[in-house]
Amino acid sequence: MSGALVGRTAVVTGASSGIGAATARELTRAGAAVVLGARRMDRLEALAAELGGSGAAVAIAATDMRREADVVGLFALARERFGGVDVLVNAAGLGKRAPLGSAPTELWREMLEVNVLGLAIATREAIRDMERRGAAGHIVHVSSMAAHRIPSPDAAMYAATKFAVRALTEGLRQELRARQSAIRVSAVSPGHVETEFAEVFAGRPEARTETYGRFKVLEAGDIAAAILWVVTRPPYAEVHDVLVRPTAQRN
Ligand SMILES: NC(=O)c1ccc[n+]([C@@H]2O[C@H](COP(=O)([O-])OP(=O)(O)OC[C@H]3O[C@@H](n4cnc5c(N)ncnc54)[C@H](OP(=O)(O)O)[C@@H]3O)[C@@H](O)[C@H]2O)c1
């Protein structure tokens, strides 16, 4: 195995689908060992078989980002199998159509727990592990263009979670710099990417074609390539946020 990430270990959350799965492929192509988490084990097993077939070192664990013990366990697995984590990609996340005047609390709670709290817990666990080993690690948050403006009237709570991710990116950067840490933090903020996101957001399978069929949207691999670029900059360069829209996207 050759590549910029040989000898490094990456934990990828949300690896069963979309951007997380594409990132797992991209990072293993660059030589990283990967530890993959998501709830759907059948998807993780298929991906691990695919990546393992190409010679990659892969470990998987059923991980519900709403369960702290699962998230902590993902990093224990990284330590047991590969000695620790060098790169964390926080790709687990979801949006739900959930108007502020009428949506059930549970929809808001799920977005907040996965997109914000789960991401913060995973980040803390990664930092603990990196600091314990003195590793100059890298945390990447898969944020959104919804961290930069409200995309639609029914997506305010989703946008609120991504505005929070933007705050957590800059807040962590300040915290790390205050103690002169070599750990870096970056965000990648996509516009429309063809994944399962639209179907989950609307709760209808047809939403996929409705959302992604209007014009050529980004592919998950485009965001994975941006993530690889972010984590392979020299140690003195900390990419803050990469905003990527499909060329034809208007808002
Ligand atoms: N697609 C877009 O247009 C777009 C645009 C901007 C930002 N994003 C962001 O990109 C990230 C990845 O989304 P995607 O587009 O790749 O969508 P996706 O195909 O639906 O993938 C979402 C991933 O998150 C995981 N996930 C959801 N809830 C979880 C939970 N409770 N515990 C653990 N994992 C959970 C899913 O795994 P399981 O269901 O197997 O647990 C899946 O692997 C999200 O943060 C999303 O906000 C997407």
Side-chain angles (χ1 to χ4, degrees):
M1 188 69 70
S2 63
L5 298 178
V6 170
R8 313 255 284 169
T9 299
V11 170
V12 183
T13 69
S16 60
S17 169
I19 294 168
T23 301
R25 291 191 178 93
E26 191 77 33
L27 298 181
T28 53
R29 270 197 292 273
V34 289
V35 180
L36 310 177
R39 291 167 302 177
R40 288 172 292 178
M41 272 306 271
D42 53 333
R43 299 284 200 96
L44 292 182
E45 280 161 6
L47 182 59
E50 175 196 322
L51 300 177
S54 313
V58 186
I60 58 173
T63 310
D64 185 337
M65 296 303 292
R66 302 178 76 179
R67 291 167 50 97
E68 181 161 6
D70 285 6
V71 181
V72 171
L74 197 57
F75 292 88
L77 180 64
R79 272 193 298 283
E80 281 160 29
R81 289 288 303 278
F82 305 119
V85 56
D86 301 295
V87 173
L88 166 63
V89 180
N90 279 310
L94 76 156
K96 292 271 171 141
R97 173 168 291 138
L100 299 179
S102 58
T105 310
E106 190 45 40
L107 293 186
W108 298 337
R109 197 189 313 279
E110 184 177 4
M111 287 187 275
L112 288 160
E113 286 189 355
V114 177
N115 300 2
V116 182
L117 207 50
L119 173 142
I121 293 169
T123 300
R124 181 194 64 209
E125 294 305 308
I127 288 171
R128 278 183 179 160
D129 179 80
M130 290 166 184
E131 292 189 335
R132 185 180 55 81
R133 293 180 301 118
H138 206 139
I139 316 284
V140 182
H141 296 329
V142 180
S143 181
S144 174
M145 282 301 302
H148 298 273
R149 87 280 184 264
I150 313 299
S152 61
D154 54 2
M157 189 59 80
Y158 173 66
T161 69
K162 295 300 184 175
F163 272 64
V165 170
R166 187 171 155 203
L168 295 175
T169 306
E170 172 58 8
L172 179 59
R173 191 193 69 77
Q174 292 184 15
E175 195 180 307
L176 292 168
R177 291 304 77 78
R179 57 175 188 269
Q180 298 182 318
S181 171
I183 299 171
R184 290 175 285 175
V185 56
S186 305
V188 174
S189 297
H192 285 305
V193 187
E194 183 163 5
T195 66
E196 294 171 16
F197 182 88
E199 184 178 335
V200 172
F201 184 86
R204 297 181 297 117
E206 317 81 64
R208 185 168 186 139
T209 1
E210 289 163 14
T211 309
Y212 305 132
R214 291 172 293 147
F215 50 82
K216 173 64 186 158
V217 298
L218 299 170
E219 297 171 11
D222 296 320
I223 302 308
I227 291 170
L228 178 65
W229 178 78
V230 162
V231 301
T232 52
R233 293 312 84 214
Y236 61 82
E238 183 178 42
V239 177
H240 187 62
D241 197 349
V242 181
L243 281 64
V244 194
R245 280 190 182 92
T247 308
Q249 185 173 326
R250 289 172 69 105
N251 71 335

